[in-house]
Amino acid sequence: MLLALLPVLGIHFVLRDAQAQSVTQPDARVTVSEGASLQLRCKYSYSGTPYLFWYVQYPRQGLQLLLKYYSGDPVVQGVNGFEAEFIKSNSSFHLRKASVHWSDSAVYFCAVS
């Protein structure tokens, strides 16, 4: 059985007018068995209408956009079977995948704008 190691990092942003916005990803490292489901948690702080993003960085590659939320349906479908759900009431945008593969091992970033 292969294990997928998914390091998770947070990105923090500060607006020019000193109004702070931030993203928290509480899981520093997530380890799951191949074929298992995955959830990477993302909580954000933003006073306006958020634009939310998930990025992925595979080994020896640059950052790639996985999915984004601007408005509309709160469940966003991304590439490679990933999805995220925008839940305004608890300021979350958790990334999910029903069945992970070893090739999903990467660093995942949640961002707000």
Side-chain angles (χ1 to χ4, degrees), residues 5-77:
L5 299 177
L6 303 167
V8 181
L9 302 175
I11 298 177
H12 299 277
F13 297 89
V14 179
L15 296 174
R16 279 183 264 163
D17 64 2
Q19 175 188 12
Q21 55 188 347
S22 66
V23 169
T24 303
Q25 294 178 243
D27 307 307
R29 181 175 289 262
V30 175
T31 304
V32 295
S33 299
E34 184 164 345
S37 64
L38 169 71
Q39 177 173 278
L40 300 178
R41 297 179 297 161
C42 175
K43 300 279 281 182
Y44 67 89
S45 174
Y46 186 67
S47 60
T49 302
Y51 295 146
L52 296 158
F53 308 86
W54 273 100
Y55 292 91
V56 60
Q57 187 169 23
Y58 295 103
R60 298 172 300 284
Q61 294 184 22
L63 220 55
Q64 299 172 38
L65 179 63
L66 199 55
L67 53 81
K68 61 187 173 194
Y69 172 82
Y70 293 135
S71 66
D73 188 346
V75 178
V76 180
Q77 301 299 318

Side-chain angles (χ1 to χ4, degrees), residues 42-45 85-94:
C42 175
K43 300 279 281 182
Y44 67 89
S45 174
E85 184 174 9
F86 168 62
I87 303 176
K88 185 175 184 176
S89 62
N90 69 358
S91 301
S92 68
F93 191 56
H94 302 327

